[in-house]
Structure formats: structure tokens, C-alpha cells
Amino acid sequence: MDWKPDKHAEMPVYKQIAAHLEHEIVSGALPPGAPLPPERTLARQYGVNRGTVSAAYEELRAAGLIQSLQGSGTWVSRHLWGVQKVPNWHQYTTGGAFLPALPLVRRIREAGWNPAIINLAKAELATEMIPTLEFERLTGGKMEAIDLGYVHPKGEPQLREAVSAHLRTHYGIAVSSEEILITSGAQQALHLISLCLLAPGDAIAMEGPSYTYSLPLFASAGLRLYQLSMDADGVIPDEMWTLYKKHRIRMVFLNPTFHNPTGTVLSEARRRQLLTVCRELRIPVVEDDAYGALALDEDKRPPLPLKALDSGDSVLYVGSLSKTIASGLRIGWLVGPRAVIERLADAKQQMDYGTSSVSQQLARLALEGGLWERQMERLRPFLTAQRDRMLAALDTHLRQEASWNVPAGSCHIWCRLNTPIDGLDLLEAAIQAGVLMTPGEVFGAEPGWMRLTYSWESSEALEEGIRRLAEAIKKAAPVRLSPCR
Ligand SMILES: Cc1ncc(COP(=O)(O)O)c(C=O)c1O
């Protein structure tokens, strides 16, 4: 019995003792009828007060796991009738290594299932923008031709060829198919990097605020997150020096083109500067380019991706079809040196035996058959009109209360309230009013910021959503920081 309670843990000590003994009983280490030490003895053994052991025993008695009789001591119940013999799922669900989503994110998800709510938090294409009919035409409405076996761990070879050609044509990135790994969305690429290329305790730098911040997968991997501040041209590369000296940064995660949530585009000069700094520090850069193709203004095209400017193999480039074709396909890719691709493909194979072969073949058809280009011709005017509708609604309903950017691409407006409201209060007030948005705290911003997404709802719903949001903002109390986040 080497176990001892942890006096610095969040869980009260008596609960830890009760949970430990429960585990011993359920696992059979303490069999039915086995005597338990007197409270005083166990208290001495665990270095706690007798009252603490008393409270733990009381908890176990209440659960029917142990019995006591004055003068005869305490023992494990001889029978466990009435005692739940199912595993203690609470202990399991709170004990795993992978952390749950942030409370704000869970609330947004849950409220988003209500069909009556106007959803300005959902970063997906409106149903009518998913090219379902095009897919039907490309497959001839038949599935027989689709190979349903396990595919190559790096992804279907023809899809990788198609992605290689796509990256060359549309992004100026010249890589062979051997430097491409097909992933289940950009998200899995980020997950693989965090699990396979970094170790618990490693420090990473990212934009502040950042979509990356909103993903518990980095904290679950034990990584320490540090923010690079931003201005209108994106992150300030020189900050890397100080951040590196202070925290020994091991990797930089950036979303340089139409950054989520701020919409910022990292200027070309800064891209080059950042590559130089990272090359000197020998730090890899992960470039998340989920939105890169969604430029809306002809005169404000973004610069080439970092990967296209990188002459020294410092960049791991992450892309996806989620924001251009359909998020449900779960098709993304990671581009990097072959050794990295081999390592991550091996991990991916252990995790899921490859991304769905049906999705991969649909993705190949979309990239080879011109569907992607046709889709972009439809999508850009659609998103431009949606953006302009939301901007007009903001001007009508929130001119006095807030200010916002005019994004040159992608599907989010980054909005700041003149009088900040705590994110949870703001979200609850919005839900009451029948609208959803994403409070800035989700991305690690100060209270008072919010992200408004215009890709999902109809144009009329955008207008009505902003009207409802304005109503909620006018009713909500100004900032009162919640004690526990
Ligand atoms: C910046 C950014 N990167 C990655 C993702 C994940 O995309 P995917 O659906 O390809 O996993 C998102 C999703 O919203 C995103 O906003």
C-alpha cells in the first residue's frame, strides 16, 4: 500500500482516499469481507487527520462498499447487492489524458443543435454551397467504381498527385506527392504534429488570439502555449527572439492568411522575416492555411503561402477541403519533408488506418475534374455578398456599440464591443435572444471581442441574427469576470 493522497490536488483528500479504496474494492485487490485498518492507523499511514479517513469511510459506507460495526471494526461488504458494479465512469471520463473542450465551446455546440437559433458561430459552408450534385455527376451516381479497401497510409496515391498539382497551380507550392500526407481534415494534421513531433513540456508560439488556442489538443499533449502579438500586418517576427530566449520555443503555429478569428493577413515582408528568424533559430513553422483560397477582394489578394517562400524546408504546411468544398468530407493534407511525412503516416495508420477511401476518391474527383475551380467561382461571390450583408447589418444595429474589421477573405468578422461583456454572459444573453456567436475568449482574447461568421446562415438570417445580437448586447451587463473559466 504505497499509495498516498496528493494534498495539493484539486480533489479533496478524503475523496481521493475514498476513490482509491473504491478502486481497490472494485478491482478485487480488497476482496469481499476483507478487514480495513482502523481509522487511526490508516490516518497515520496516509499522513492525514483521523477525521479525513472517517469522512472517506463514511462515503464508502454510503455507497454500500464497506460496513462497520461498533467494536468490530470495518470491512469490505460481503456482498455487493445494490452496489453499482459498473465501472466508475466519472473517474474514467475525468481521468484520461485528452482534455475536454472549453466550457464556452461546449455551450456553443450544445445551443447550435437548436434549429431555431441563428448560428453565427458555425464556420461551415451553407448547405446550398456544398456541390452535392456535382459529385453525383462526377461519380455518375454510382459507387461501384470506388475502391473500399484500406488505402496507403500516406493517402491514396492519385489523390496525393492531385493535391500536389492543386498546390502548384493555386498556391505556388511545388512539392512531390511523397511530401504529402492526406489527413482527416486540417485538425488531424495539427493533432499528429502535436503528438508525434513535440513532447510534454515543450513550448510553442502562436498568434494571440488564435484558433489554435481554442483546441485542447495542444494542452492535452502537455504543450505550453505562448502568444506572439499581432498588428494589422499579422504577427511581429522579431518577438520570436525574446520568446525563444525566455521559453525555448520549439515550434511556431501560424494561420497567416485570413487568420481565424481576426481575418488578418501576414504581409509578405513579415513572412520573409519570420522565415529568416525561424531558420536562424532552427524552429519549424506550422502554416495552417485552411482559408487561404477564400480571397474575396480582387485588389487584396494575399501573398504566397510561407511554404511557397520557404527555401529551407522549415515549414509544415496544412491545408483542407473543409472551407472550400465540404467539411464533412474530412479531407485535409500536411506537406513537409519526407521523414516527417513517413513518421506521421506511421502514427496515423496506428490511429485510424487512413482517412476514408470514399472521401479520398471524392476529393480526387473534385480536384482532378475541375469541380474545385467551378466551386470557387460560385463560392467567392457568395461569401462576398454574405460578408457585405453582415457588414451592413452591423452598421444598422451595432454602430454605437461596437467596431469591426472588413475582412478581405474567409468567413469571419472580428468585432469589438465598446463596453466589454464577459464572454459567458454575452453568450447566454445571445442564446436567450436566439442567436449564436463565438466570444473572443474562446481564442484567448480579452472579454469584449467576438467572432461573427457569415458562411452558414442565409442572407436574411444574417440580418436578423445581428439584430438579435444587438438586442442581447444592449441588455447584457458590462464585464464582470467569471471566477472560474
Ligand atoms: C484555422 C483553422 N484551421 C483548421 C481548421 C480545421 O479544419 P478541418 O475541418 O479541415 O479539420 C479550422 C476549422 O474551423 C480552422 O478555422
Side-chain angles (χ1 to χ4, degrees), residues 170-187:
H170 297 287
Y171 296 82
I173 296 173
V175 283
S176 80
S177 62
E178 291 305 310
E179 295 159 280
I180 295 172
L181 172 70
I182 301 300
T183 56
S184 297
Q187 194 89 338

Side-chain angles (χ1 to χ4, degrees), residues 185-187 211 255 260 288 290-291 320 322-323 330:
Q187 194 89 338
Y211 167 76
N255 175 207
N260 181 5
D288 176 352
Y291 295 101
S320 166
S322 287
K323 311 296 173 183
R330 306 307 304 134

